[in-house]
């Protein structure tokens, strides 16, 4: 992708693998205990190059992945971790042009991933500060034009869904089962609903609410990731791992015995 430009996101990585995400702005400087780096010095650099801070300490300069951005983005609420987002994208089958209702947008981490996959998203969010933060994070990653495919309404999805024709419904809510009664009028047949819940009791209540006549192929799972330490012939699993963060429940909406 070549050199950097003002307005881009860059990731600086030091010798201890500490990572710093910044947006390049004319006249700005990046400051740490190791000194400073002028943003103007990064512009026109080739990706994968090294730059030295005023102290002489080197930093690797690369473009951030979506995972880097999600983990570093400013947040008003707890984000869904990349390990879970990846599986949500797959089980929800997010593709270009798919019409998604997302409720509980939080800081926009999942929104960012679905938008990058090409989704058209309508968000329902109770808190205006969360919606504002999500919009800012999405714009930081994609630019203002991304809002053409991303609209957040300040409203309670438990009270109903105004629109219809949704191909996918993705829920990150404390009580997603309260949304189920509204889905038959909001979703296209063959559509997929996904609920992300921290506790198994929440997942159980969601499954209880999904009538098996109308919601088939039901499944609930969690995702654990464990890195491995590999140094020469010394190979072992890392002592720390990202284990339980939440349960993912998904099901497919079909005709069944609709009234």
């Amino acid at each position: 992708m070549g050199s950097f430009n003002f307005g881009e996101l860059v990731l600086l990585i030091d010798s201890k693998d500490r990572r710093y995400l910044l947006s390049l702005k004319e006249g700005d400087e990046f400051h740490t205990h190791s000194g400073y780096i002028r943003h103007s010095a990064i512009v026109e650099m080739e990706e994968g190059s090294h730059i030295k801070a005023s102290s002489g300490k080197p930093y690797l300069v690369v473009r951030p992945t979506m995972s880097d951005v999600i983990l570093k983005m400013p947040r008003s609420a707890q984000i869904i971790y990349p390990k879970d987002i990846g599986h949500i994208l797959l089980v929800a089958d997010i593709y270009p042009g798919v019409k998604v209702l997302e409720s509980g947008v939080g800081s926009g981490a999942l929104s960012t991933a679905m938008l990058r996959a090409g989704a058209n998203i309508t968000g329902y969010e109770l808190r205006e500060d969360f919606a504002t933060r999500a919009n800012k994070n999405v714009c930081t990653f994609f630019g203002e034009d991304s809002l053409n495919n991303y609209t957040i309404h300040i409203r309670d999805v438990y009270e109903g869904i105004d629109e219809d024709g949704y191909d996918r419904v993705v829920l990150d809510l404390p009580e997603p089962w309260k949304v189920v009664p509204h889905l038959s009028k909001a979703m296209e047949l063959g559509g997929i609903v996904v609920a992300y819940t921290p506790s198994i009791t929440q997942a159980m209540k969601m499954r209880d609410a999904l009538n098996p006549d109308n919601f088939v192929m039901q499944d609930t799972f969690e995702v654990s990731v464990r890195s491995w330490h590999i140094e020469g012939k010394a190979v072992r699993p890392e002592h720390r791992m990202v284990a339980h963060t939440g349960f993912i429940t998904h099901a497919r909406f079909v005709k069944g015995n609709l009234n």
Side-chain angles (χ1 to χ4, degrees):
M1 294 180 66
S3 58
F4 297 97
N5 298 291
F6 287 120
E8 276 197 83
L9 290 172
V10 299
L11 192 69
L12 302 182
I13 306 173
D14 69 13
S15 59
K16 294 184 178 180
D17 200 35
R18 288 177 294 211
R19 304 180 181 205
Y20 306 89
L21 181 70
L22 59 145
S23 179
L24 294 176
K25 297 178 182 178
E26 197 164 0
D28 274 12
E29 295 176 341
F30 165 71
H31 286 263
T32 70
H33 62 282
S34 300
Y36 67 90
I37 299 172
R38 292 188 176 90
H39 287 203
S40 58
I42 299 174
V43 170
E44 301 302 333
M45 287 186 64
E46 291 292 322
E47 182 174 11
S49 301
H50 288 82
I51 190 170
K52 290 184 178 180
S54 57
S55 65
K57 181 176 181 177
Y59 289 84
L60 175 64
V61 185
V62 295
R63 287 182 170 85
T65 65
M66 184 174 61
S67 179
D68 293 321
V69 173
I70 286 172
L71 290 173
K72 293 288 186 181
M73 67 170 43
R75 61 190 69 174
S76 304
Q78 177 62 46
I79 61 167
I80 299 178
Y81 278 83
K83 72 181 181 68
D84 295 321
I85 288 176
H87 283 78
I88 290 173
L89 291 178
L90 289 173
V91 299
D93 191 30
I94 303 299
Y95 58 85
V98 69
K99 186 177 178 181
V100 178
L101 172 67
E102 181 188 7
S103 188
V105 299
S107 298
L110 181 56
S111 301
T112 299
M114 291 194 293
L115 286 167
R116 196 178 201 191
N120 295 315
I121 302 173
T122 299
Y124 278 24
E125 175 57 59
L126 271 178
R127 293 184 52 169
E128 190 165 358
D129 56 332
F130 284 11
T132 299
R133 172 56 64 191
N135 272 321
K136 286 182 178 178
N137 284 335
V138 163
C139 287
T140 296
F141 191 72
F142 296 110
E144 295 286 340
D145 289 347
S146 61
L147 298 183
N148 293 332
N149 298 320
Y150 189 52
T151 304
I152 303 178
H153 300 293
I154 307 301
R155 61 159 302 160
D156 187 348
V157 73
Y158 296 157
E159 295 179 355
I161 301 170
D162 290 339
E163 309 84 5
D164 57 17
Y166 286 111
D167 304 304
R168 307 289 184 262
V169 175
V170 181
L171 307 171
D172 179 15
L173 303 166
E175 300 174 305
W177 53 89
K178 290 185 177 180
V179 183
V180 174
H182 309 306
L183 296 182
S184 61
K185 294 182 180 179
M187 294 185 71
E188 291 288 321
L189 288 171
I192 298 171
V193 57
V194 180
Y196 182 78
T197 53
S199 76
I200 191 60
T201 54
Q202 291 169 301
M204 290 168 61
K205 289 182 179 179
M206 182 64 183
R207 290 289 293 269
D208 286 343
L210 294 170
N211 184 330
D213 289 334
N214 302 129
F215 292 94
V216 300
M217 302 167 68
Q218 297 185 27
D219 188 29
T220 298
F221 63 93
E222 63 178 337
V223 180
S224 298
V225 174
R226 187 167 198 173
S227 296
W228 278 69
H229 173 84
I230 300 176
E231 188 175 347
K233 295 183 178 180
V235 180
R236 58 170 173 76
E238 294 286 0
H239 298 304
R240 299 181 64 183
M241 66 180 291
V242 182
H244 174 75
T245 47
F247 293 96
I248 298 170
T249 297
H250 60 100
R252 198 113 192 217
F253 177 57
V254 297
K255 191 170 184 179
N257 296 319
L258 289 174
N259 295 321

